[in-house]
């Protein structure tokens, strides 16, 4: 062996920052005047800024705030207006803060001025499990009766219910100060930020939705924080604070619930998180953090997609980005060609993501979203094989928003109506689904995908559980919001019950609507058990790893594929008569109930424990991480397509020969390894994952998945 008894030790140095916040420190402060420290030379002058002590955040009692700068004068305001040199409040000494307020400050040094910095101090505010967003700006911008963005203004046409001409229909963007505080009190974002009003008809509500836009010309160019938790994006250019749209004054989480039900679907959707908002220190109620659907959203949610190289549309042909040519050509083909022809259907499959489109339609139909025809967004990457995909958003009209018995609505008929009115389901909005349903392959895929979802994501039990979770999250927070906007708690509770009833009753009606529209035959029950060592892909969609109970239709065959895990192999099916080694099954359900089991067994190669992971060098800063495999057998082994794994990653070997009683090194970087160990003679690079020096499990498998060794 090349490396004998090699031990690698790596030590990291951790910096520990201790931040101490002293509450109630007013009695211990020196009330000295702000001292202007003048640098000795102009070359040493740093950019001017204002420092706050203590910084904005939540405090139980009144505090004293000091402002500091170097060689400059400070001016500040507490009413949201922009501080200026001619402001009446020039900083002369510590500021007493005895109620929730925003202090906005600017520093001047000669003709040079700093950016405005704002800190919000929450004094004795109620505890909350929600993050807090504080925005500050000149109050006239929002509330001036003539030109304020939150106001109707002088140009609104009162005779029309949409109030065209009202100030709140403005699309302009203006800079404001924005802060985001996490639930632990930490301020995770503080910067001048773009501000726009957001939404359609929801602008008519007194609580207006708005968008925060991070731009370099204002301050930070991204909001760098996982606003939606560890599974969400790391940073954002746009963040929407939404008033719950058409659901305002009702549940306040309708849209968030619906998109949340699609958590593991292959469909673009907005993330969701409730938050409290303050404007100039005044409580402004509960808003919902949502992502803004634009080219940045598409790039962020699709690896390898360039936001500047997409075709992006909404409604019928409204272009947001790119070219209409590809979509119009596809639509012309759909209009002119018969999709009963398999070749024509295959061409359409090459132009649009069929599975994504099915999931999009299934969701809208189950939700009974009566506004789906007016809220359509779709896109494709501008690549030779780029396919059209649909984005789910603005589902507020679903789940019985305007009808407590909407659970029985035949939305399948609604979404396939060839003669729908201009709103809400014009013929063009139902055309693609109607056309695709001419093809039997698509029809069966659509029916089975709907059944998959009704059995899992849209089962009554699952949906009711999700409603209960959100209800418990909102319940302790709603009192303040309802009081702030003079809304009814009874109405809120009633609307939550409407959603619970919808969840309970909806599946049975949808099953019936599918039976009525298609020649499905009766429903059959399927119980599928999967033993340890693999999983079953059901209908190329659902991954079943333990047990599954559901319903499917007699005349629509289901597909099952047994997939063994590494170190295991598929043994046999129980409950059906089929060849023992047949992994893939297409099954037409004839019996009333099927009890099936997919059985897996351990799979070891004859060379197990003779081809060994022998030595490991983790966290090696000099050579890069590497490991050694040793052949203790008398056979020459070709390692091509063998698999090396850790808990999350796989490395597939190239064509590599391992002679008897010889070794091979797998390293991250061949050049670094050779430079460190010039006498090594049998090594390959390209290990795409590092080796954790604290805890790691590494396994070696043959191309067939047979276990060889583990460390």
């Amino acid at each position: 062996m090349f490396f004998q008894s090699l031990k690698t030790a790596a030590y990291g140095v951790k910096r520990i920052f201790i931040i101490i916040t002293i509450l109630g420190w007013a009695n211990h402060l020196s009330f000295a005047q702000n001292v202007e420290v003048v640098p000795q030379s102009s070359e040493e002058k740093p950019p001017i800024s204002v420092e706050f002590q203590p910084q904005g955040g939540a405090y139980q009692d009144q505090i004293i705030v000091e402002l500091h700068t170097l060689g400059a004068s400070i001016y500040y305001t507490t009413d949201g207006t922009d501080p200026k040199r001619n402001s009446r409040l020039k900083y002369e000494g510590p500021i007493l803060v005895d109620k929730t307020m925003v202090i906005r400050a600017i520093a001047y040094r000669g003709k040079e001025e700093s950016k405005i910095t704002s800190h919000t101090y929450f004094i004795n505010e109620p505890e909350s499990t929600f993050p807090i967003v504080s925005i500050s700006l000149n109050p006239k911008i929002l509330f001036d009766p003539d030109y304020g963005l939150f106001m109707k203004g002088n140009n609104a046409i009162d005779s029309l219910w949409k109030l065209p001409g009202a100030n709140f229909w403005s699309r302009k963007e203006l800079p404001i100060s924005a802060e985001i505080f996490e639930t632990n009190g930490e301020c995770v974002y503080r910067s001048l930020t773009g501000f726009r009003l957001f939404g359609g008809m929801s602008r008519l509500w007194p609580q207006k939705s708005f968008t925060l836009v991070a731009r370099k010309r204002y301050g930070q160019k991204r909001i760098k924080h996982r606003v939606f938790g560890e599974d969400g994006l790391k940073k954002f250019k746009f963040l929407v604070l939404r008033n719950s749209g058409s659901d305002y004054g009702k549940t306040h989480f309708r849209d968030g619930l619906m998109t949340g039900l699609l958590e593991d679907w292959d469909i673009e959707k907005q993330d969701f998180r409730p938050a409290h908002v303050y404007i100039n220190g005044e409580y402004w109620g509960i808003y919902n953090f949502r992502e803004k659907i634009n080219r940045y959203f598409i790039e962020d949610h699709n690896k390898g997609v360039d936001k500047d190289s997409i075709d992006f549309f909404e409604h019928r042909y409204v272009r947001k980005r790119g070219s209409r040519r590809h979509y119009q050509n596809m639509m012309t083909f759909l209009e002119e060609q018969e999709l009963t022809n398999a070749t024509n259907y295959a061409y359409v499959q090459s132009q649009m993501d069929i599975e994504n489109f099915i999931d999009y339609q299934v969701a809208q139909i189950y939700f009974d979203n009566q506004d789906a025809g007016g809220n359509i967004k779709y896109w494709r990457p501008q690549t030779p094989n780029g396919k059209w995909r649909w984005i789910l958003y603005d589902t507020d009209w679903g789940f019985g928003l305007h009808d407590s018995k909407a659970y029985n609505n035949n939305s399948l008929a609604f979404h396939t109506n060839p003669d729908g009115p201009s709103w809400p389901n014009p013929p063009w909005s139902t055309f693609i689904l109607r056309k695709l349903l001419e093809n039997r392959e698509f029809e069966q895929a659509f029916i089975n995908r709907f059944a998959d979802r009704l059995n899992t994501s849209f089962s009554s039990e699952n949906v009711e559980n999700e409603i209960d979770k959100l209800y418990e999250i909102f319940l302790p927070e709603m009192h303040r919001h309802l009081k702030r906007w003079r809304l009814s708690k009874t109405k809120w509770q009633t609307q939550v019950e409407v959603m619970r009833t919808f969840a309970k009753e909806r599946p049975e009606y949808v099953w019936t609507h599918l039976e009525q529209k298609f020649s499905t035959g009766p429903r059959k029950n399927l119980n599928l058990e999967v033993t340890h060592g693999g999983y079953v892909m059901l209908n190329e969609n659902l991954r079943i790893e333990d047990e599954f109970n559901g319903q499917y239709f007699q005349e629509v065959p289901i597909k099952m594929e047994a997939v063994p895990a590494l170190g295991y192999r598929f043994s046999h099916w129980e409950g059906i008569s089929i060849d023992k080694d047949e992994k893939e099954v297409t099954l037409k359900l004839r019996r009333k109930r099927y009890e099936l089991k997919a059985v897996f067994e351990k799979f070891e190669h004859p060379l197990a424990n003779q081809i060994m992971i022998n030595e490991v060098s983790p966290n090696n800063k000099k050579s890069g991480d590497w490991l050694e495999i040793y052949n203790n057998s008398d056979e020459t082994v070709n390692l091509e397509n063998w698999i090396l794994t850790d808990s999350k990653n796989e490395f597939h070997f190239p064509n590599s020969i391992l002679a008897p009683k010889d070794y091979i090194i797998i390293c991250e970087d061949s050049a670094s390894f050779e430079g460190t160990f010039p006498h090594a003679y049998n090594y390959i690079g390209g290990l795409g994952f590092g080796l954790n020096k604290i805890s790691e499990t590494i396994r070696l498998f043959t191309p067939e998945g047979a276990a060889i060794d583990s460390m």
Side-chain angles (χ1 to χ4, degrees), residues 78-138:
T78 59
D79 61 358
T81 56
D82 292 348
K84 298 178 181 178
R85 193 192 298 269
N86 59 359
S87 299
R88 62 182 180 86
L89 293 177
K90 180 179 180 181
Y91 181 73
E92 302 290 352
I95 304 166
L96 174 65
V97 179
D98 58 2
K99 64 178 182 178
T100 297
M101 70 167 59
V102 181
I103 298 177
R104 309 187 75 202
I106 192 171
Y108 290 94
R109 185 169 60 199
K111 294 183 179 180
E112 184 183 3
E113 68 178 48
S114 71
K115 287 189 174 182
I116 295 173
T117 305
S118 300
H119 283 241
T120 304
Y121 296 89
F122 303 97
I123 307 300
N124 196 27
E125 292 286 340
E127 293 185 1
S128 174
T129 59
F130 289 1
I132 294 175
V133 177
S134 174
I135 66 171
S136 51
L137 70 169
N138 189 327

Side-chain angles (χ1 to χ4, degrees), residues 214-216 219-224 236-237:
R215 298 191 191 278
K216 188 176 180 180
Q220 298 182 35
K221 64 179 182 180
R222 290 292 187 276
I223 299 172
K224 296 181 180 180
F236 305 86
K237 188 169 183 64

Side-chain angles (χ1 to χ4, degrees), residues 648-680:
K648 296 181 179 179
N649 306 284
E650 293 185 359
F651 170 80
H652 292 255
F653 283 73
N655 189 355
S656 310
I657 302 300
L658 181 56
K661 312 303 179 185
D662 203 357
Y663 71 87
I664 188 169
I665 303 292
I666 301 92
C667 58
E668 288 187 293
D669 181 71
S670 297
S672 297
F673 183 81
E674 182 180 8
T676 307
F677 304 106
H679 300 296

